[in-house]
Amino acid sequence: MWGASLSGLEVKKPRACILGVSGTELSNWEKGFLREADPFGFILFARNIENRNQVRALTNALRETVGNTNVPILVDQEGGRVMRLKPPHWRSIAPAGVFGDLFDRNPDDAREAAYTSARLMAMDLREAGFNTTCAPVLDLRLPGMSDVIGDRSYGAEVAKVVMLASAVAAGLLDGGIAPIIKHIPGHGRATVDSHKDLPIVTVSHETLSEFDFAPFAHMKDVLAAMSAHLLFTAIDDQRPGTVSGTVIQDIIRGEIGFENLLISDDLSMEALGGSIASRTHECLRAGCDIALHCNGKRTEMEEVVSMAPLLTGKSLQRAQSFTNQIATFKHDAPSSTQITDWQARLADLLAPVWSAGDDQK
């Protein structure tokens, strides 16, 4: 079924990786390398984004390079301190924790605000040429843990996180942006920043199942998820989740029941050891479908591509389902009246807990 299209032509099989680029436009080397590598998708960061016209030109160039209008182009746009598209060129988006605070006052208002905020954010992303964002965050905000998650989380209660994250996912999808839930199976108990070191989680499997894993089980039908670089000693005391076959097969695929596209968190983060090539090999061998590499460094990108095969089997099916979702998105933009109404309504809803002028910490 997946090996050929209805016309009998071979389905194009991209490589099992998502890559970054180094600057605000593609170098000649990048154009040639990316055309040859044909990664599943791309991810952009603040270093790649200056203004509306520039980022639109860059996302268009990425599509042209691989000859695929529906190639996933990702960005970390959550709101709060994790925003790659920032004022003054783009709107300010409240962090997840603000919606959690509003939820404590009025759950219905919080859910509406979360949806409306995501819908407006999706509009900005679409205009810039993105079709995917690495959000919402389903990690719990637990006391005493590293602030690497902090107000990126909707809160400490599973029901609250699920309700608000579901509203955000719906708003993104309605706005033509594919969500990627993160960080499966749960990053909330990290005591250190996984960008800099390996967090070790020592609570029991039972506790993890009741709390940390639960939001992901509730939202397992979202078509993509990003892994967590955490060592869960009760599950696998030797290997972080991203490179642990036990975590991926027994917990993510088994207990949680997530059967869709699994993307590694950034392989250049310091939580993982070994070379970039070995990290790529290990995450794919453990069961990630896609290896994510973000920093745009040439030598590291070459290592990733050397170890990432073309997508096949279930991974290809999952990848095609995700790309097919992107292909179904409508391209018509909301009217100016609709946008004005959404902005006014969102400001009213958030007024008790946040305003666009608040400092983003």
Side-chain angles (χ1 to χ4, degrees), residues 7 53 58 60 75 79 88 96 120 149 165 217 333-334:
S7 64
N53 291 337
L58 179 55
N60 284 340
V75 66
L120 287 165
I149 298 299

Side-chain angles (χ1 to χ4, degrees), residues 280-361:
T280 304
H281 174 69
E282 293 297 326
C283 83
L284 295 172
R285 184 175 70 171
C288 287
D289 298 304
I290 302 289
L292 173 67
H293 182 265
C294 297
N295 65 25
K297 294 181 179 178
R298 177 172 178 168
T299 55
E300 292 189 11
M301 291 166 67
E302 290 173 334
E303 287 188 61
V304 172
V305 167
S306 74
M307 300 305 296
L310 299 184
L311 285 161
T312 58
K314 285 187 176 181
S315 291
L316 178 61
Q317 293 181 32
R318 293 167 180 145
Q320 287 178 325
S321 293
F322 187 77
T323 306
N324 289 344
Q325 180 183 64
I326 290 172
T328 65
F329 290 147
K330 297 178 180 178
H331 294 273
D332 50 329
S335 68
S336 57
T337 301
Q338 179 68 81
I339 295 168
T340 300
D341 288 347
W342 282 336
Q343 290 172 329
R345 178 60 177 160
L346 181 61
D348 286 345
L349 289 167
L350 290 180
V353 290
W354 187 81
S355 70
D358 288 350
D359 291 335
Q360 301 298 295
K361 297 181 180 179

Side-chain angles (χ1 to χ4, degrees), residues 37-50:
D38 193 23
F40 173 69
F42 302 100
I43 186 166
L44 298 185
F45 281 79
R47 68 177 182 274
N48 309 120
I49 297 168
E50 287 182 339

